[in-house]
């Protein structure tokens, strides 16, 4: 079966959708993705969720532990575990 010049599979559309979120997709890939989004509900839903996830991550105010805090917490946990194992 000959691969279509303009139409892409759902899996390929998902890959291009992910690449376009990070500005890694070529112009031609974006054109093919938009054609796919026009007629495929599954790809359209995936794209919508992908955009929403990216926006949520960008706007989140997640604060991570610093390396020193993480090391201190790990050492405290290790001490408590050794106490529990000895009893």
């Amino acid at each position: 079966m000959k691969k279509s010049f303009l139409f892409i599979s759902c899996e390929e559309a998902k890959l291009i959708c992910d690449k376009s979120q990070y500005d890694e997709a070529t112009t031609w890939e974006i054109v093919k993705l938009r054609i796919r989004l026009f007629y495929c509900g599954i790809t359209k839903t995936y794209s919508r969720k992908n955009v929403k996830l990216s926006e949520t991550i960008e706007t989140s105010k997640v604060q991570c532990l610093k390396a020193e805090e993480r090391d201190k917490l790990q050492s405290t946990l290790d001490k408590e575990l050794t106490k529990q194992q000895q009893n």
Side-chain angles (χ1 to χ4, degrees):
M1 181 181 265
K2 185 178 176 185
K3 187 175 180 179
S4 179
F5 170 70
L6 198 54
F7 296 101
I8 55 177
S9 69
C10 222
E11 289 77 26
E12 190 176 354
K14 289 177 183 179
L15 178 66
I16 295 170
C17 181
D18 293 340
K19 286 170 62 176
S20 70
Q21 288 291 316
Y22 301 105
D23 297 324
E24 296 175 353
T26 65
T27 305
W28 182 242
E29 287 176 328
I30 292 171
V31 168
K32 292 194 290 187
L33 175 63
R34 288 190 179 165
I35 291 170
R36 178 75 187 196
L37 288 171
F38 181 71
Y39 67 88
C40 180
I42 295 170
T43 304
K44 200 179 299 184
T45 302
Y46 180 86
S47 178
R48 216 177 300 126
K49 288 181 179 181
N50 200 12
V51 168
K52 188 175 181 179
L53 176 63
S54 295
E55 289 173 353
T56 303
I57 290 171
E58 287 177 10
T59 60
S60 69
K61 295 185 183 355
V62 176
Q63 295 180 353
C64 299
L65 290 175
K66 294 179 180 143
E68 307 89 42
E69 295 171 329
R70 187 177 58 243
D71 292 339
K72 184 178 178 182
L73 188 62
Q74 183 66 45
S75 65
T76 305
L77 180 63
D78 290 339
K79 288 177 187 176
E80 291 299 319
L81 284 174
T82 55
K83 284 181 187 177
Q84 290 291 326
Q85 291 174 351
Q86 290 174 356
N87 292 332

